[in-house]
């Protein structure tokens, strides 16, 4: 007992010490980040946990010399949210018991609400598809009536839950504010048009079953819950990455449903005239639904080959069918054309741009090799990005949303550039919006030796090779995704420094480019960051030149090349001219030489 108590105390103390050490390390990292980036405020820091919260959850204590009961380590006996323990989750049954239904639901982003709408739409489809079938065809019999009623009242229960639980908790916007108050949300739903339609949907016409029997037409008001169907379509299309596929399926379902209703009406008309009474009506052989559906397809699509109607009722029914078929089928084709056109709008734009470019190159008789490279660029850019220019898409968004997207896409790469470490974070955010994406083909020159550097490059995908050596074709280094080059050129004085090597794309490469002009426009508003960047650029340029100078090899070309030393004899003549009063051409040369030395320094 004494040994177990000692082990319990030592285990608790050890766990607390480990947790405190980790908390101190996290705080030290935050302080370092704050010192490196002054823009970080104390609001980002989370308060330290109290000592009472640092103790782990109670767990079985193992005996002094062995494993705990059940041959399992202590960490596997419990779940804990502290860093000292392995992350475990509660059993799903316990989590289900402890789940609390939210007091308010965001209808635009809550996936649980979208899932619930799916069940509501399934109940609505049950009523829309099965009520006509049960009314026209003899599929509802006294032997299976209890199964039909069971599913009917299950759908009614889903309708009722939607009214009492979900619709009264939906958030709404009033005066620009998102309202989450329970009373306000309930009053907003009770005053809406949807509440009136939901009440009409649940009219208790089923009580007439006791007088007229179980007639499915009494459940027709259940089909009026169409608002839930359209809301589900909007929410689902906002979630899906390829919403046009769902639109095509939905349009096809509209066509199938119209044929379904027509087949039910044809069977009813045949039963009204008498099955097999004429050559036009259904003769009662085979599967009744399949035969009537086949007749509805031939009628609505106006294929032809149908028997001629005999009676006045048959003629009127057939005329109405033809008119409805032409109208419905034309509407379906037009809607399908719009859906497919919207789905392929980007592809159509890509093809038109490529065709126009090819026509332009053929008109000016551009060499075939250049044309092939242009076509390759179009193909790769479209398949890699899904668009030709990202700016055309982002220009429609507000400035704040463009910044959020740029942070998610580019911040992790730009923040690792040594040149921008310690700069104002807002300056980096402004810089992210100026980055533009460019695609380079294999063996394309990103920059050439001797060019004036006016851009910085960040590799998003692919690789580039730095070439050098006597022939200028030896691969000095290969830069991969996340690497940065040309950053010193942005801050070099005197119009920019010249490139010291050739850089070519090794395969297809996606690069982000930041122009010097854009950076200068940003730095006007951040003078402290501008001083820091210039200081870092000079230091980096000095470090790059130092190893070559120590070895005696020619260093990188400087912005102002150094002048040759003045000969000693000429220096003596200049000194004598100075002692003679500082007049004459030698004195002027001596003064000019001092100016050049000052400029060189």
């Amino acid at each position: 007992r004494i040994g177990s108590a000692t082990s319990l105390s030592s285990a608790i103390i050890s766990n607390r010490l480990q947790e405190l050490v980790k908390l101190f390390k996290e705080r030290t990292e935050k302080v370092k980040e704050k010192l490196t980036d002054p823009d970080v405020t104390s609001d980002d820091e989370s308060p330290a946990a109290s000592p009472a919260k640092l103790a782990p959850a109670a767990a079985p204590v193992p005996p002094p010399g062995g494993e705990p009961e059940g041959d399992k380590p202590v960490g596997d006996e419990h779940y804990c949210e502290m860093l000292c323990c392995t992350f475990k989750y509660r059993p799903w049954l316990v989590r289900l018991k402890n789940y609390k239904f939210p007091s308010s639901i965001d209808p635009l982003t809550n996936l649980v609400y979208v899932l619930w709408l799916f069940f509501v739409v399934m109940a609505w489809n049950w009523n829309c598809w099965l009520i006509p079938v049960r009314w026209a065809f003899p599929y509802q019999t006294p032997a299976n009536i209890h199964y039909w009623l069971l599913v009917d009242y299950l759908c009614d229960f889903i309708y009722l839950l939607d009214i009492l639980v979900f619709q009264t908790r939906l958030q709404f916007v009033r005066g620009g504010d998102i309202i989450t108050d329970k009373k306000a949300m309930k009053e907003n739903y009770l005053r809406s048009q949807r509440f009136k339609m939901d009440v009409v949907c649940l009219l208790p016409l089923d009580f007439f079953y006791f007088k007229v029997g179980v007639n499915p037409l009494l459940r027709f008001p259940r089909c009026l819950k169409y608002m839930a169907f359209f809301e589900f379509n909007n929410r689902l299309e906002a979630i899906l990455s390829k919403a046009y596929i769902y639109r095509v399926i939905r349009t096809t379902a509209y066509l199938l449903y119209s044929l379904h209703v027509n087949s039910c009406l044809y069977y009813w008309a045949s039963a009204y005239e008498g099955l097999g009474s004429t050559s036009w009506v259904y003769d009662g052989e085979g599967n009744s639904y399949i035969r009537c559906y086949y007749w509805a397809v031939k009628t609505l699509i106006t294929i032809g080959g149908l028997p001629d109607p005999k009676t006045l009722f048959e003629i009127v029914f057939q005329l109405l069918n033809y008119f409805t078929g032409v109208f419905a089928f034309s509407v379906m084709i037009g809607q399908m054309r719009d859906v497919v056109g919207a789905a392929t709008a980007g592809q159509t734009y890509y093809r038109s741009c490529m065709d126009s470019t090819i026509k332009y190159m053929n008109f000016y008789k551009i060499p075939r090799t250049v044309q092939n490279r242009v076509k390759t660029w179009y193909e790769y850019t479209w398949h890699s990005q899904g668009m030709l220019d990202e700016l055309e898409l982002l220009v429609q968004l507000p400035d704040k949303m463009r910044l959020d997207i740029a942070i998610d896409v580019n911040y992790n790469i730009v923040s690792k550039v040594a040149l921008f470490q310690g700069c104002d974070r807002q300056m980096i955010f402004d810089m992210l919006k100026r980055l533009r994406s460019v695609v380079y083909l294999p063996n394309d020159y990103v920059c050439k030796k001797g060019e004036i550097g006016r851009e910085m490059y960040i590799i998003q995908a692919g690789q580039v090779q730095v070439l050098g050596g006597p022939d200028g074709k030896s691969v000095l280094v290969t830069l991969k995704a996340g690497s940065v080059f040309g950053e010193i050129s942005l801050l070099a004085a005197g119009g920019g420094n010249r490139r010291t090597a050739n850089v070519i794309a090794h395969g297809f490469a996606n690069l982000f480019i930041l122009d010097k002009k854009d950076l200068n426009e940003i730095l006007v508003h951040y003078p402290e960051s501008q001083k820091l960047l210039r200081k870092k650029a000079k230091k980096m340029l000095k470090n790059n030149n130092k190893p070559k100078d120590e070895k005696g090899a020619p260093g990188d070309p400087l912005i102002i090349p150094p002048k040759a030393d003045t000969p000693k004899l000429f220096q003596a003549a200049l000194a004598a001219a100075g002692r003679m009063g500082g007049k004459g051409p030698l004195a002027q040369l001596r003064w000019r030489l001092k100016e050049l030395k000052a400029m060189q320094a």
Side-chain angles (χ1 to χ4, degrees):
R1 295 176 180 274
I2 296 175
S4 60
T6 303
S7 62
L8 174 61
S9 302
S10 61
I12 294 176
I13 292 173
S14 176
N15 290 333
R16 287 187 177 181
L17 288 176
Q18 292 178 5
E19 182 62 24
L20 286 173
V21 168
K22 292 184 178 181
L23 289 174
F24 280 126
K25 287 183 177 179
E26 291 178 1
R27 187 170 181 81
T28 303
E29 293 296 330
K30 290 181 179 179
V31 172
K32 287 182 179 180
E33 182 182 359
K34 186 176 180 181
L35 292 176
T36 305
D37 190 353
D39 190 59
V40 179
T41 61
S42 59
D43 295 337
D44 297 335
E45 299 175 5
S46 58
S50 60
K53 294 182 180 179
L54 295 180
V61 181
E67 293 288 330
E69 295 181 4
D71 297 331
K72 292 182 179 180
V74 179
D76 292 339
E77 291 288 338
H78 67 287
Y79 65 90
C80 182
E81 296 180 356
M82 306 302 294
L83 295 176
C84 59
C85 302
T86 305
F87 281 94
K88 299 291 181 183
Y89 292 100
R90 293 186 179 96
W92 66 272
L93 202 56
V94 178
R95 281 186 287 160
L96 186 61
K97 290 180 180 179
N98 295 335
Y99 177 75
K100 294 182 180 179
F101 197 81
S103 59
S104 64
I105 301 174
D106 184 2
L108 300 178
T109 60
N110 196 311
L111 296 180
V112 176
Y113 179 65
V114 178
L115 181 62
W116 171 253
L117 285 178
F118 170 76
F119 289 109
V120 175
V121 170
M122 291 299 295
W124 177 76
N125 275 282
W126 166 269
N127 292 314
C128 290
W129 286 79
L130 272 301
I131 287 177
V133 171
R134 293 160 60 186
W135 165 72
F137 292 91
Y139 291 151
Q140 179 177 296
T141 60
N144 59 16
I145 189 65
H146 53 283
Y147 296 113
W148 294 103
L149 294 179
L150 177 63
V151 181
D152 285 345
Y153 294 130
L154 177 62
C155 296
D156 293 349
F157 180 70
I158 293 176
Y159 280 15
L160 190 62
L161 279 182
D162 184 59
I163 295 175
L164 299 178
V165 179
F166 285 88
Q167 297 301 321
T168 56
R169 286 178 166 83
L170 292 183
Q171 302 173 4
F172 66 98
V173 179
R174 183 171 59 191
D177 296 330
I178 300 177
I179 306 301
T180 59
D181 181 67
K182 292 183 179 180
K183 184 178 179 181
M185 291 186 295
K186 185 180 296 184
E187 291 177 354
N188 178 69
Y189 172 62
L190 295 178
R191 291 195 302 265
S192 64
Q193 182 70 22
R194 183 164 183 172
F195 172 72
K196 300 175 184 178
M197 296 299 298
D198 290 345
V199 171
V200 173
C201 288
L202 288 177
L203 287 177
L205 301 180
D206 302 46
F207 289 108
F208 289 100
Y209 285 172
F210 298 103
K211 186 175 182 180
V212 299
V214 182
N215 189 349
L217 287 181
L218 294 175
R219 292 187 55 83
F220 180 76
R222 304 297 190 272
C223 300
L224 299 179
K225 202 174 176 64
Y226 59 89
M227 291 186 178
F229 172 70
F230 291 113
E231 183 182 7
F232 174 73
N233 291 335
N234 296 332
R235 300 291 175 265
L236 188 61
E237 289 179 6
I239 296 173
L240 297 177
S241 59
K242 296 183 179 180
Y244 64 89
I245 297 178
Y246 174 72
R247 297 191 190 107
V248 172
I249 296 175
R250 185 182 63 204
T251 306
T252 306
Y254 290 159
L255 178 61
L256 296 178
Y257 182 73
S258 61
L259 295 173
H260 167 80
V261 173
N262 193 31
S263 64
C264 295
L265 291 175
Y266 175 65
Y267 186 87
W268 169 81
S270 300
Y272 177 79
E273 286 285 302
L275 297 179
S277 58
T278 63
S279 60
W280 181 84
V281 300
Y282 169 60
D283 56 4
E285 297 180 0
N287 188 294
S288 57
Y289 181 78
I290 298 298
R291 294 291 183 91
C292 293
Y293 200 92
Y294 173 74
W295 181 91
V297 170
K298 295 183 68 175
T299 303
L300 285 184
I301 304 180
T302 62
I303 295 177
L306 295 172
D308 296 330
K310 304 297 182 182
T311 64
L312 178 63
F313 175 80
E314 295 175 357
I315 294 174
V316 172
F317 187 89
Q318 187 71 347
L319 287 176
L320 293 176
N321 251 332
Y322 281 140
F323 292 146
T324 305
V326 171
F327 175 76
F329 197 67
S330 60
V331 169
M332 296 301 171
I333 291 179
Q335 189 170 4
M336 187 69 74
R337 183 204 61 187
D338 294 339
V339 170
V340 176
T344 59
Q347 185 76 18
T348 304
Y349 173 73
Y350 154 71
R351 294 302 312 176
S352 64
C353 291
M354 189 172 181
D355 293 342
S356 300
T357 306
I358 294 175
K359 183 179 180 181
Y360 173 84
M361 292 187 296
N362 290 333
F363 179 78
Y364 286 99
K365 299 179 180 180
I366 304 297
R368 184 62 58 183
T369 55
V370 178
Q371 293 192 23
N372 291 336
R373 293 185 66 81
V374 171
K375 294 177 183 177
T376 305
W377 181 88
Y378 268 106
E379 291 285 347
Y380 177 78
T381 303
W382 174 256
H383 290 295
S384 61
Q385 299 180 170
M387 62 189 72
L388 297 179
D389 189 3
E390 296 177 354
L391 297 179
E392 292 182 2
L393 176 66
L394 299 179
V395 74
Q396 304 174 3
L397 299 177
D399 188 71
K400 181 63 174 62
M401 291 186 179
R402 289 204 305 269
L403 177 59
D404 293 340
I405 294 176
I407 291 174
D408 292 335
V409 176
N410 307 330
Y411 184 73
N412 290 335
I413 298 177
V414 177
S415 61
K416 297 176 183 178
V417 180
L419 185 64
F420 302 125
Q421 294 292 332
C423 292
D424 194 319
R425 182 172 295 180
Q426 188 60 41
M427 186 213 75
I428 297 180
F429 290 166
D430 293 343
M431 188 178 64
L432 291 177
K433 294 186 292 185
R434 302 296 186 96
L435 293 177
R436 55 189 178 90
S437 178
V438 178
V439 175
Y440 287 91
L441 302 183
N443 299 322
D444 271 356
Y445 277 91
V446 180
C447 57
K448 293 184 178 182
K449 184 177 180 179
E451 290 180 344
I452 300 298
R454 298 185 181 89
E455 302 92 7
M456 180 190 74
Y457 301 92
I458 304 173
I459 304 177
Q460 180 189 14
Q463 299 178 357
V464 298
Q465 293 179 339
V466 181
L467 304 182
D471 56 352
K473 297 182 180 180
S474 302
V475 179
L476 302 180
V477 65
T478 300
L479 303 178
K480 299 182 180 179
S483 301
V484 179
F485 60 96
E487 64 272 23
I488 303 178
S489 303
L490 295 179
L491 299 170
N497 65 313
R498 296 184 179 274
R499 306 291 189 187
T500 59
N502 294 326
V503 179
I504 65 170
H506 181 63
F508 292 94
N510 292 53
L511 304 182
F512 286 124
I513 296 180
L514 177 65
D515 290 333
K516 186 175 183 177
K517 179 181 177 182
D518 294 335
L519 182 62
N520 290 336
E521 292 177 357
I522 296 172
L523 290 179
V524 172
H525 307 286
Y526 303 95
E528 297 297 329
S529 298
Q530 185 178 13
K531 294 178 182 179
L532 179 61
L533 288 177
R534 294 192 181 279
K535 184 178 179 180
K536 284 188 174 184
K538 292 179 181 179
K539 185 176 180 181
M540 295 172 66
L541 187 59
K542 182 178 179 180
N543 294 337
N544 290 343
N545 293 334
K546 185 178 295 184
K548 298 181 180 181
D549 295 340
E550 290 176 353
K551 296 179 182 178
D556 292 336
L558 300 178
I559 299 173
I560 301 178
K563 300 294 183 180
D565 293 338
T566 306
K568 294 182 179 180
L569 181 59
F570 191 60
Q571 288 181 359
L574 292 176
R579 289 194 296 270
M580 292 175 62
K583 297 181 179 180
L586 290 177
Q588 293 180 1
L589 288 174
R590 183 171 180 267
W591 175 77
R592 183 61 178 169
L593 183 60
K594 285 183 179 181
E595 282 189 347
L596 291 176
K597 287 184 177 181
M599 291 177 62
Q600 181 176 344

